[in-house]
Amino acid sequence: MHKIDLLNPPELVRRLNWRDRYETKVAQWLLPWDGEEAVEIGFIGVPLSKTSISVSGASLTPNALRELFANVTTYSIDYDVDLQELKARDLGDIQMHVTDLLRCHANIEQGLANVYETLPDLFPIIAGGDHSITCPSVKAFKRRYPGKIGIVQIDSHMDVRNLEDGGPSNGTPIRGLLESGTVEGRHIAQIGLHSFANSKPYRDYARAQGITQFTARQVAREGIEPIVRQAMAVAGDGTDAIYVTVDMDVLDQAYAPGVPAMVAAGMTSWQLLDAVYLLGQNPQVKGLDVVCVDPVQDPRRATVRTALYVILTFLAGYMKRKP
Ligand SMILES: [Mn+2]
C-alpha cells in the first residue's frame, strides 16, 4: 500500500444507487485508487484558486467534476470507444496550505513528483484549480521527463504577465516556466488567444521568446485541426514530452458561463473537443491539465460538464494510440 506524500485520497466519491446493466457511468470506472493496483490513467485534483487574479472558486472544481462522474457514461459514439478499457483511477488531491500560496505551489511540484516516482507509467489528468498550478505541475513533469518539454496551451490569454506586480498567479504560469528555464519559448504553442484580453507588451515578449501563437479568430477562420497539427509540430520538435494545458476560459461566454475571465466570441465547445481529441492521439503528449472553472458561478454545472467532456474526449483520443 503506497501512501504518497502530499497527496490526499479523493475528498468526494460519487456512488450510484441505480444502474442499467448495459450502461457504465464514469463513476463506476474512475474509482478511487486503492494505493496498490496498477494504474494507467490518474485523475489528480489540484484544489487551489486563491492565486487567481479574478475571484475564483476553481479550488472546488475537482469535487464538482467528481459529482458529475455519475451523470456521464464511458462510451463515445463519435469515436466508438469505451473508456472502460483504460485502467483509470482517482488518485485524490494535492494537499494545500491554507494561507501560504508559494507553499501551495511547492506542494504541487513535490506532490506530483511523488506521484510520478511512485507510479512511473502513469498518464496524469490534472484537474485545477486556477492556471497558476500549471507552472509547478510542468516543473514536476520535467523532473519526470528530463530533457526538453513542449507545451500546447489552449487559452484566451498568453499567461506571461510579469511576476513582480502580483506574484505567481493564474496570469503568469508560462512566464514562470520561461524564467525558470523549465521550457523554452520555441517549444510552446498557444491556441485561442483573444483580443481585448491581452496586451501588446506581452505579445511582443511572447514573440521575442519564440512562442507560436494562434488566435481564436484564426481558429474560427482556418479550422481547429490544421492549427492543432501545427501546434503539435512546434511542441513536439526536438522535445522529449508534450504537456497540454487547457484553460476553459478559451471558450466563448455562451459555452462557458462558469469561468472567471470570460470572453466574447471565444472558441466553441466542438473546436475545443476536436482539439483535445487530436492531442490525445499524439503519443508525444504525456500529460494534461484543465483549469480555471469556477463551479460557484456555473449555472447547472455547464462549464464543469464541458471540462469533464474535455477530459473524456482527450482520453477517447488516447485510446486510439493503442494498437
Ligand atoms: Mn490561462
Side-chain angles (χ1 to χ4, degrees), residues 98-161:
V98 177
T99 55
D100 186 340
L101 303 182
L102 298 180
R103 188 155 150 203
C104 290
H105 284 163
N107 282 9
I108 295 166
E109 180 179 347
Q110 190 57 49
L112 290 174
N114 294 344
V115 169
Y116 301 150
E117 201 171 304
T118 307
L119 299 166
D121 298 324
L122 187 82
F123 188 103
I125 303 283
I126 296 161
D130 71 58
H131 220 162
S132 77
I133 71 155
T134 298
C135 184
S137 173
V138 174
K139 287 179 178 174
F141 189 74
K142 183 163 170 120
R143 284 160 69 173
R144 180 187 189 184
Y145 296 106
K148 305 283 187 191
I149 301 299
I151 293 180
V152 176
Q153 177 189 2
I154 307 181
D155 199 333
S156 281
H157 309 92
M158 297 180 283
D159 291 353
V160 294
R161 290 179 190 275

Short mmCIF file of all heavy atoms in Angstrom, two decimals, residues 98-161:
data_model
loop_
_atom_site.label_atom_id
_atom_site.label_comp_id
_atom_site.label_asym_id
_atom_site.label_seq_id
_atom_site.Cartn_x
_atom_site.Cartn_y
_atom_site.Cartn_z
N VAL A 98 -3.26 26.58 3.78
CA VAL A 98 -4.42 27.48 3.80
C VAL A 98 -4.03 28.91 3.43
O VAL A 98 -4.76 29.60 2.71
CB VAL A 98 -5.10 27.46 5.19
CG1 VAL A 98 -6.26 28.45 5.24
CG2 VAL A 98 -5.60 26.06 5.50
N THR A 99 -2.87 29.37 3.90
CA THR A 99 -2.54 30.79 3.71
C THR A 99 -1.29 31.02 2.87
O THR A 99 -1.11 32.13 2.35
CB THR A 99 -2.33 31.47 5.08
OG1 THR A 99 -1.34 30.74 5.80
CG2 THR A 99 -3.63 31.51 5.86
N ASP A 100 -0.42 30.05 2.76
CA ASP A 100 0.87 30.27 2.10
C ASP A 100 0.81 29.77 0.66
O ASP A 100 0.94 28.56 0.41
CB ASP A 100 1.96 29.53 2.90
CG ASP A 100 3.36 29.81 2.39
OD1 ASP A 100 3.50 30.25 1.23
OD2 ASP A 100 4.32 29.57 3.15
N LEU A 101 0.61 30.70 -0.27
CA LEU A 101 0.38 30.30 -1.66
C LEU A 101 1.64 29.76 -2.33
O LEU A 101 1.56 28.86 -3.16
CB LEU A 101 -0.20 31.47 -2.45
CG LEU A 101 -1.50 32.04 -1.86
CD1 LEU A 101 -2.03 33.17 -2.73
CD2 LEU A 101 -2.55 30.96 -1.70
N LEU A 102 2.80 30.29 -1.95
CA LEU A 102 4.04 29.77 -2.53
C LEU A 102 4.27 28.33 -2.07
O LEU A 102 4.78 27.50 -2.81
CB LEU A 102 5.23 30.65 -2.16
CG LEU A 102 5.15 32.09 -2.69
CD1 LEU A 102 6.38 32.88 -2.27
CD2 LEU A 102 4.98 32.12 -4.20
N ARG A 103 3.85 28.07 -0.81
CA ARG A 103 3.96 26.70 -0.33
C ARG A 103 2.98 25.77 -1.06
O ARG A 103 3.28 24.61 -1.31
CB ARG A 103 3.72 26.66 1.18
CG ARG A 103 4.03 25.30 1.75
CD ARG A 103 4.38 25.39 3.21
NE ARG A 103 3.99 24.17 3.89
CZ ARG A 103 3.76 24.10 5.19
NH1 ARG A 103 3.87 25.18 5.94
NH2 ARG A 103 3.43 22.97 5.73
N CYS A 104 1.82 26.30 -1.42
CA CYS A 104 0.89 25.51 -2.24
C CYS A 104 1.56 25.10 -3.55
O CYS A 104 1.49 23.94 -3.97
CB CYS A 104 -0.38 26.31 -2.55
SG CYS A 104 -1.45 26.57 -1.12
N HIS A 105 2.23 26.06 -4.19
CA HIS A 105 2.91 25.74 -5.45
C HIS A 105 4.03 24.72 -5.22
O HIS A 105 4.22 23.81 -6.04
CB HIS A 105 3.45 27.02 -6.10
CG HIS A 105 2.38 27.84 -6.75
ND1 HIS A 105 2.54 29.17 -7.09
CD2 HIS A 105 1.12 27.51 -7.14
CE1 HIS A 105 1.43 29.61 -7.66
NE2 HIS A 105 0.56 28.63 -7.71
N ALA A 106 4.75 24.87 -4.10
CA ALA A 106 5.81 23.89 -3.80
C ALA A 106 5.20 22.51 -3.57
O ALA A 106 5.75 21.50 -4.01
CB ALA A 106 6.60 24.36 -2.57
N ASN A 107 4.03 22.47 -2.90
CA ASN A 107 3.35 21.19 -2.68
C ASN A 107 2.93 20.55 -4.00
O ASN A 107 2.99 19.33 -4.16
CB ASN A 107 2.09 21.38 -1.82
CG ASN A 107 2.41 21.55 -0.35
OD1 ASN A 107 3.56 21.67 0.04
ND2 ASN A 107 1.36 21.57 0.47
N ILE A 108 2.47 21.38 -4.94
CA ILE A 108 2.04 20.84 -6.24
C ILE A 108 3.22 20.20 -6.95
O ILE A 108 3.14 19.07 -7.44
CB ILE A 108 1.40 21.95 -7.11
CG1 ILE A 108 0.11 22.47 -6.47
CG2 ILE A 108 1.13 21.43 -8.52
CD1 ILE A 108 -0.41 23.77 -7.07
N GLU A 109 4.34 20.93 -6.99
CA GLU A 109 5.51 20.37 -7.68
C GLU A 109 5.98 19.08 -6.99
O GLU A 109 6.18 18.05 -7.64
CB GLU A 109 6.66 21.39 -7.74
CG GLU A 109 7.88 20.81 -8.45
CD GLU A 109 9.05 21.77 -8.57
OE1 GLU A 109 8.87 22.99 -8.34
OE2 GLU A 109 10.15 21.30 -8.92
N GLN A 110 6.13 19.13 -5.66
CA GLN A 110 6.66 17.96 -4.96
C GLN A 110 5.64 16.82 -4.92
O GLN A 110 5.99 15.66 -5.10
CB GLN A 110 7.10 18.35 -3.54
CG GLN A 110 7.87 17.24 -2.84
CD GLN A 110 9.11 16.79 -3.62
OE1 GLN A 110 9.91 17.63 -4.05
NE2 GLN A 110 9.25 15.48 -3.85
N GLY A 111 4.36 17.18 -4.72
CA GLY A 111 3.32 16.15 -4.66
C GLY A 111 3.21 15.39 -5.97
O GLY A 111 3.12 14.16 -5.99
N LEU A 112 3.22 16.13 -7.09
CA LEU A 112 3.15 15.45 -8.40
C LEU A 112 4.43 14.66 -8.67
O LEU A 112 4.37 13.55 -9.21
CB LEU A 112 2.89 16.48 -9.51
CG LEU A 112 1.48 17.10 -9.49
CD1 LEU A 112 1.37 18.21 -10.53
CD2 LEU A 112 0.41 16.03 -9.75
N ALA A 113 5.57 15.22 -8.26
CA ALA A 113 6.83 14.47 -8.43
C ALA A 113 6.75 13.16 -7.63
O ALA A 113 7.21 12.11 -8.11
CB ALA A 113 8.02 15.32 -7.98
N ASN A 114 6.16 13.21 -6.44
CA ASN A 114 6.00 11.99 -5.64
C ASN A 114 5.10 10.98 -6.34
O ASN A 114 5.35 9.77 -6.33
CB ASN A 114 5.39 12.33 -4.27
CG ASN A 114 6.32 13.18 -3.40
OD1 ASN A 114 7.51 13.29 -3.67
ND2 ASN A 114 5.75 13.80 -2.38
N VAL A 115 4.02 11.48 -6.96
CA VAL A 115 3.11 10.59 -7.71
C VAL A 115 3.87 9.91 -8.84
O VAL A 115 3.79 8.68 -9.03
CB VAL A 115 1.92 11.40 -8.28
CG1 VAL A 115 1.12 10.56 -9.28
CG2 VAL A 115 1.01 11.89 -7.16
N TYR A 116 4.66 10.70 -9.59
CA TYR A 116 5.36 10.14 -10.75
C TYR A 116 6.44 9.14 -10.33
O TYR A 116 6.73 8.19 -11.04
CB TYR A 116 5.98 11.26 -11.60
CG TYR A 116 4.97 12.27 -12.11
CD1 TYR A 116 5.34 13.60 -12.32
CD2 TYR A 116 3.66 11.91 -12.38
CE1 TYR A 116 4.41 14.53 -12.79
CE2 TYR A 116 2.73 12.83 -12.83
CZ TYR A 116 3.12 14.15 -13.04
OH TYR A 116 2.20 15.06 -13.49
N GLU A 117 7.01 9.40 -9.14
CA GLU A 117 8.04 8.47 -8.66
C GLU A 117 7.40 7.13 -8.26
O GLU A 117 7.95 6.06 -8.52
CB GLU A 117 8.73 9.11 -7.45
CG GLU A 117 10.10 8.54 -7.15
CD GLU A 117 10.79 9.37 -6.08
OE1 GLU A 117 10.93 10.60 -6.26
OE2 GLU A 117 11.16 8.77 -5.06
N THR A 118 6.22 7.22 -7.63
CA THR A 118 5.53 6.00 -7.18
C THR A 118 4.92 5.23 -8.35
O THR A 118 4.90 4.00 -8.34
CB THR A 118 4.41 6.37 -6.18
OG1 THR A 118 4.99 7.19 -5.15
CG2 THR A 118 3.78 5.14 -5.56
N LEU A 119 4.39 5.99 -9.33
CA LEU A 119 3.69 5.37 -10.47
C LEU A 119 4.35 5.85 -11.76
O LEU A 119 3.81 6.73 -12.45
CB LEU A 119 2.21 5.77 -10.43
CG LEU A 119 1.42 5.33 -9.20
CD1 LEU A 119 0.08 6.06 -9.12
CD2 LEU A 119 1.19 3.82 -9.24
N PRO A 120 5.49 5.29 -12.12
CA PRO A 120 6.27 5.84 -13.23
C PRO A 120 5.58 5.74 -14.59
O PRO A 120 5.91 6.51 -15.49
CB PRO A 120 7.57 5.04 -13.21
CG PRO A 120 7.45 4.02 -12.16
CD PRO A 120 6.16 4.20 -11.43
N ASP A 121 4.62 4.85 -14.74
CA ASP A 121 3.96 4.72 -16.05
C ASP A 121 2.64 5.48 -16.13
O ASP A 121 1.91 5.38 -17.11
CB ASP A 121 3.70 3.23 -16.35
CG ASP A 121 5.00 2.45 -16.44
OD1 ASP A 121 5.99 3.01 -16.95
OD2 ASP A 121 5.03 1.29 -15.97
N LEU A 122 2.34 6.25 -15.10
CA LEU A 122 1.04 6.93 -15.03
C LEU A 122 0.93 8.05 -16.07
O LEU A 122 1.85 8.84 -16.26
CB LEU A 122 0.86 7.54 -13.64
CG LEU A 122 -0.52 8.14 -13.38
CD1 LEU A 122 -1.48 7.05 -12.98
CD2 LEU A 122 -0.44 9.21 -12.29
N PHE A 123 -0.25 8.14 -16.70
CA PHE A 123 -0.58 9.33 -17.51
C PHE A 123 -1.43 10.23 -16.62
O PHE A 123 -2.54 9.85 -16.23
CB PHE A 123 -1.33 8.95 -18.78
CG PHE A 123 -1.50 10.12 -19.70
CD1 PHE A 123 -0.71 10.25 -20.83
CD2 PHE A 123 -2.44 11.12 -19.43
CE1 PHE A 123 -0.83 11.35 -21.66
CE2 PHE A 123 -2.56 12.23 -20.26
CZ PHE A 123 -1.76 12.34 -21.38
N PRO A 124 -0.95 11.45 -16.28
CA PRO A 124 -1.71 12.30 -15.35
C PRO A 124 -2.76 13.16 -16.05
O PRO A 124 -2.49 13.81 -17.06
CB PRO A 124 -0.61 13.19 -14.75
CG PRO A 124 0.41 13.32 -15.84
CD PRO A 124 0.36 12.02 -16.62
N ILE A 125 -3.96 13.15 -15.48
CA ILE A 125 -5.04 14.06 -15.86
C ILE A 125 -5.24 14.97 -14.65
O ILE A 125 -5.77 14.54 -13.62
CB ILE A 125 -6.35 13.30 -16.15
CG1 ILE A 125 -6.16 12.26 -17.26
CG2 ILE A 125 -7.49 14.29 -16.46
CD1 ILE A 125 -6.10 12.79 -18.65
N ILE A 126 -4.77 16.19 -14.75
CA ILE A 126 -4.71 17.08 -13.60
C ILE A 126 -5.86 18.09 -13.68
O ILE A 126 -5.99 18.82 -14.66
CB ILE A 126 -3.34 17.80 -13.56
CG1 ILE A 126 -2.24 16.74 -13.36
CG2 ILE A 126 -3.31 18.87 -12.47
CD1 ILE A 126 -0.86 17.19 -13.74
N ALA A 127 -6.68 18.10 -12.63
CA ALA A 127 -7.84 18.99 -12.59
C ALA A 127 -7.57 20.14 -11.63
O ALA A 127 -7.42 19.92 -10.42
CB ALA A 127 -9.08 18.20 -12.15
N GLY A 128 -7.47 21.37 -12.20
CA GLY A 128 -7.30 22.54 -11.35
C GLY A 128 -8.61 22.87 -10.70
O GLY A 128 -9.62 22.22 -10.93
N GLY A 129 -8.56 23.88 -9.91
CA GLY A 129 -7.53 24.85 -9.71
C GLY A 129 -7.51 25.93 -10.82
O GLY A 129 -8.13 25.82 -11.85
N ASP A 130 -6.81 26.99 -10.47
CA ASP A 130 -6.61 28.05 -11.46
C ASP A 130 -5.32 27.79 -12.22
O ASP A 130 -4.57 26.86 -11.92
CB ASP A 130 -6.63 29.44 -10.80
CG ASP A 130 -5.39 29.71 -9.95
OD1 ASP A 130 -4.27 29.66 -10.49
OD2 ASP A 130 -5.55 29.99 -8.74
N HIS A 131 -5.02 28.65 -13.22
CA HIS A 131 -3.92 28.34 -14.13
C HIS A 131 -2.54 28.47 -13.49
O HIS A 131 -1.55 28.02 -14.06
CB HIS A 131 -4.02 29.19 -15.40
CG HIS A 131 -3.67 28.42 -16.63
ND1 HIS A 131 -4.01 28.81 -17.90
CD2 HIS A 131 -3.00 27.24 -16.78
CE1 HIS A 131 -3.55 27.92 -18.77
NE2 HIS A 131 -2.94 26.95 -18.10
N SER A 132 -2.47 29.05 -12.29
CA SER A 132 -1.15 29.13 -11.64
C SER A 132 -0.58 27.74 -11.40
O SER A 132 0.64 27.57 -11.32
CB SER A 132 -1.25 29.89 -10.31
OG SER A 132 -1.81 29.08 -9.29
N ILE A 133 -1.43 26.73 -11.29
CA ILE A 133 -0.95 25.37 -10.96
C ILE A 133 -0.09 24.78 -12.07
O ILE A 133 0.68 23.85 -11.84
CB ILE A 133 -2.12 24.40 -10.65
CG1 ILE A 133 -2.90 24.07 -11.94
CG2 ILE A 133 -3.04 24.97 -9.58
CD1 ILE A 133 -3.63 22.76 -11.89
N THR A 134 -0.23 25.32 -13.29
CA THR A 134 0.48 24.73 -14.42
C THR A 134 1.99 24.92 -14.31
O THR A 134 2.76 24.07 -14.75
CB THR A 134 -0.06 25.32 -15.74
OG1 THR A 134 -1.45 24.96 -15.83
CG2 THR A 134 0.67 24.78 -16.96
N CYS A 135 2.43 26.02 -13.68
CA CYS A 135 3.88 26.22 -13.54
C CYS A 135 4.50 25.13 -12.66
O CYS A 135 5.40 24.40 -13.12
CB CYS A 135 4.17 27.63 -13.03
SG CYS A 135 5.93 28.00 -12.95
N PRO A 136 4.06 24.94 -11.42
CA PRO A 136 4.66 23.84 -10.64
C PRO A 136 4.36 22.47 -11.23
O PRO A 136 5.19 21.55 -11.11
CB PRO A 136 4.02 24.00 -9.25
CG PRO A 136 2.83 24.86 -9.43
CD PRO A 136 3.11 25.74 -10.60
N SER A 137 3.22 22.31 -11.89
CA SER A 137 2.91 21.00 -12.48
C SER A 137 3.91 20.66 -13.58
O SER A 137 4.40 19.52 -13.66
CB SER A 137 1.48 21.01 -13.04
OG SER A 137 1.22 19.82 -13.75
N VAL A 138 4.23 21.62 -14.43
CA VAL A 138 5.19 21.34 -15.52
C VAL A 138 6.60 21.15 -14.95
O VAL A 138 7.39 20.37 -15.48
CB VAL A 138 5.14 22.44 -16.59
CG1 VAL A 138 6.23 22.23 -17.64
CG2 VAL A 138 3.77 22.45 -17.27
N LYS A 139 6.90 21.83 -13.85
CA LYS A 139 8.21 21.60 -13.21
C LYS A 139 8.33 20.15 -12.74
O LYS A 139 9.38 19.52 -12.89
CB LYS A 139 8.42 22.58 -12.05
CG LYS A 139 8.70 24.00 -12.53
CD LYS A 139 8.87 24.94 -11.34
CE LYS A 139 9.20 26.35 -11.81
NZ LYS A 139 9.23 27.31 -10.68
N ALA A 140 7.24 19.61 -12.16
CA ALA A 140 7.25 18.20 -11.75
C ALA A 140 7.34 17.28 -12.96
O ALA A 140 8.05 16.27 -12.96
CB ALA A 140 5.99 17.88 -10.94
N PHE A 141 6.62 17.66 -14.01
CA PHE A 141 6.62 16.89 -15.27
C PHE A 141 8.03 16.82 -15.85
O PHE A 141 8.47 15.79 -16.35
CB PHE A 141 5.66 17.61 -16.22
CG PHE A 141 5.34 16.91 -17.51
CD1 PHE A 141 4.49 15.81 -17.52
CD2 PHE A 141 5.83 17.38 -18.72
CE1 PHE A 141 4.15 15.19 -18.72
CE2 PHE A 141 5.49 16.77 -19.91
CZ PHE A 141 4.65 15.67 -19.91
N LYS A 142 8.75 17.93 -15.74
CA LYS A 142 10.12 17.95 -16.26
C LYS A 142 11.06 17.09 -15.41
O LYS A 142 12.03 16.53 -15.93
CB LYS A 142 10.64 19.39 -16.33
CG LYS A 142 12.04 19.46 -16.94
CD LYS A 142 12.38 20.85 -17.37
CE LYS A 142 13.85 20.95 -17.73
NZ LYS A 142 14.02 21.35 -19.12
N ARG A 143 10.78 17.00 -14.12
CA ARG A 143 11.59 16.10 -13.29
C ARG A 143 11.37 14.66 -13.73
O ARG A 143 12.26 13.82 -13.64
CB ARG A 143 11.22 16.28 -11.81
CG ARG A 143 11.83 17.56 -11.23
CD ARG A 143 11.14 18.03 -9.97
NE ARG A 143 11.34 17.18 -8.82
CZ ARG A 143 10.92 17.50 -7.58
NH1 ARG A 143 10.31 18.67 -7.38
NH2 ARG A 143 11.12 16.68 -6.58
N ARG A 144 10.17 14.40 -14.21
CA ARG A 144 9.87 13.05 -14.67
C ARG A 144 10.42 12.79 -16.07
O ARG A 144 10.87 11.69 -16.39
CB ARG A 144 8.37 12.87 -14.69
CG ARG A 144 7.97 11.50 -15.14
CD ARG A 144 6.48 11.44 -15.29
NE ARG A 144 6.03 10.10 -15.53
CZ ARG A 144 4.77 9.81 -15.77
NH1 ARG A 144 3.86 10.77 -15.80
NH2 ARG A 144 4.42 8.57 -16.00
N TYR A 145 10.35 13.80 -16.94
CA TYR A 145 10.88 13.68 -18.30
C TYR A 145 12.02 14.68 -18.47
O TYR A 145 11.84 15.73 -19.08
CB TYR A 145 9.79 13.97 -19.34
CG TYR A 145 8.67 12.97 -19.32
CD1 TYR A 145 7.43 13.30 -18.77
CD2 TYR A 145 8.84 11.69 -19.83
CE1 TYR A 145 6.39 12.36 -18.74
CE2 TYR A 145 7.81 10.76 -19.80
CZ TYR A 145 6.60 11.11 -19.25
OH TYR A 145 5.58 10.19 -19.21
N PRO A 146 13.19 14.35 -17.92
CA PRO A 146 14.31 15.30 -18.02
C PRO A 146 14.64 15.48 -19.50
O PRO A 146 14.51 14.57 -20.29
CB PRO A 146 15.45 14.60 -17.28
CG PRO A 146 14.82 13.51 -16.50
CD PRO A 146 13.59 13.11 -17.24
N GLY A 147 15.04 16.68 -19.85
CA GLY A 147 15.25 16.98 -21.26
C GLY A 147 14.34 18.13 -21.63
O GLY A 147 14.03 18.98 -20.79
N LYS A 148 13.91 18.14 -22.88
CA LYS A 148 13.10 19.27 -23.37
C LYS A 148 11.61 18.96 -23.27
O LYS A 148 11.16 17.89 -23.67
CB LYS A 148 13.46 19.56 -24.83
CG LYS A 148 14.95 19.80 -25.09
CD LYS A 148 15.36 21.18 -24.65
CE LYS A 148 16.80 21.47 -25.07
NZ LYS A 148 17.32 22.69 -24.44
N ILE A 149 10.88 19.94 -22.76
CA ILE A 149 9.42 19.81 -22.65
C ILE A 149 8.76 20.77 -23.63
O ILE A 149 9.15 21.93 -23.74
CB ILE A 149 8.95 20.17 -21.22
CG1 ILE A 149 9.62 19.26 -20.17
CG2 ILE A 149 7.42 20.11 -21.12
CD1 ILE A 149 9.32 17.80 -20.32
N GLY A 150 7.77 20.27 -24.36
CA GLY A 150 6.93 21.13 -25.21
C GLY A 150 5.59 21.36 -24.53
O GLY A 150 5.13 20.53 -23.74
N ILE A 151 4.97 22.50 -24.83
CA ILE A 151 3.65 22.81 -24.26
C ILE A 151 2.70 23.21 -25.38
O ILE A 151 3.03 24.04 -26.22
CB ILE A 151 3.74 23.96 -23.22
CG1 ILE A 151 4.53 23.50 -21.99
CG2 ILE A 151 2.34 24.43 -22.81
CD1 ILE A 151 4.66 24.57 -20.93
N VAL A 152 1.51 22.62 -25.37
CA VAL A 152 0.39 23.14 -26.16
C VAL A 152 -0.59 23.71 -25.15
O VAL A 152 -1.11 22.98 -24.30
CB VAL A 152 -0.28 22.06 -27.03
CG1 VAL A 152 -1.50 22.65 -27.74
CG2 VAL A 152 0.72 21.50 -28.05
N GLN A 153 -0.81 25.02 -25.25
CA GLN A 153 -1.69 25.73 -24.31
C GLN A 153 -2.91 26.20 -25.08
O GLN A 153 -2.78 26.91 -26.08
CB GLN A 153 -0.93 26.93 -23.73
CG GLN A 153 -1.75 27.80 -22.79
CD GLN A 153 -1.02 29.08 -22.41
OE1 GLN A 153 0.09 29.33 -22.90
NE2 GLN A 153 -1.63 29.88 -21.57
N ILE A 154 -4.09 25.83 -24.60
CA ILE A 154 -5.33 26.28 -25.21
C ILE A 154 -5.95 27.26 -24.23
O ILE A 154 -6.34 26.88 -23.12
CB ILE A 154 -6.26 25.09 -25.53
CG1 ILE A 154 -5.50 24.05 -26.37
CG2 ILE A 154 -7.50 25.57 -26.27
CD1 ILE A 154 -6.33 22.84 -26.76
N ASP A 155 -6.02 28.54 -24.62
CA ASP A 155 -6.28 29.59 -23.63
C ASP A 155 -6.62 30.88 -24.37
O ASP A 155 -6.08 31.15 -25.46
CB ASP A 155 -4.98 29.79 -22.81
CG ASP A 155 -5.19 30.51 -21.48
OD1 ASP A 155 -6.14 31.29 -21.35
OD2 ASP A 155 -4.36 30.29 -20.58
N SER A 156 -7.47 31.71 -23.78
CA SER A 156 -7.69 33.05 -24.32
C SER A 156 -6.52 33.98 -24.03
O SER A 156 -6.37 35.02 -24.67
CB SER A 156 -8.95 33.68 -23.70
OG SER A 156 -10.11 33.18 -24.31
N HIS A 157 -5.73 33.62 -23.01
CA HIS A 157 -4.69 34.51 -22.51
C HIS A 157 -3.31 33.88 -22.68
O HIS A 157 -3.18 32.65 -22.63
CB HIS A 157 -4.93 34.81 -21.02
CG HIS A 157 -6.33 35.26 -20.73
ND1 HIS A 157 -7.34 34.38 -20.39
CD2 HIS A 157 -6.89 36.49 -20.77
CE1 HIS A 157 -8.47 35.06 -20.22
NE2 HIS A 157 -8.23 36.34 -20.44
N MET A 158 -2.30 34.74 -22.82
CA MET A 158 -0.93 34.24 -23.01
C MET A 158 -0.30 33.77 -21.71
O MET A 158 0.63 32.98 -21.71
CB MET A 158 -0.07 35.34 -23.63
CG MET A 158 -0.55 35.77 -25.00
SD MET A 158 0.48 37.06 -25.71
CE MET A 158 -0.09 38.48 -24.81
N ASP A 159 -0.77 34.35 -20.59
CA ASP A 159 -0.26 33.96 -19.26
C ASP A 159 1.24 34.18 -19.11
O ASP A 159 1.96 33.35 -18.55
CB ASP A 159 -0.65 32.51 -18.93
CG ASP A 159 -2.14 32.34 -18.71
OD1 ASP A 159 -2.86 33.36 -18.67
OD2 ASP A 159 -2.60 31.20 -18.58
N VAL A 160 1.69 35.34 -19.63
CA VAL A 160 3.11 35.71 -19.50
C VAL A 160 3.26 37.04 -18.74
O VAL A 160 4.21 37.78 -18.94
CB VAL A 160 3.84 35.80 -20.86
CG1 VAL A 160 3.91 34.43 -21.53
CG2 VAL A 160 3.18 36.82 -21.79
N ARG A 161 2.31 37.35 -17.87
CA ARG A 161 2.42 38.57 -17.06
C ARG A 161 3.72 38.56 -16.26
O ARG A 161 4.24 37.50 -15.92
CB ARG A 161 1.26 38.65 -16.06
CG ARG A 161 -0.09 38.93 -16.66
CD ARG A 161 -1.13 38.96 -15.53
NE ARG A 161 -2.48 38.98 -16.05
CZ ARG A 161 -3.13 40.10 -16.42
NH1 ARG A 161 -2.56 41.28 -16.31
NH2 ARG A 161 -4.37 40.02 -16.89
#
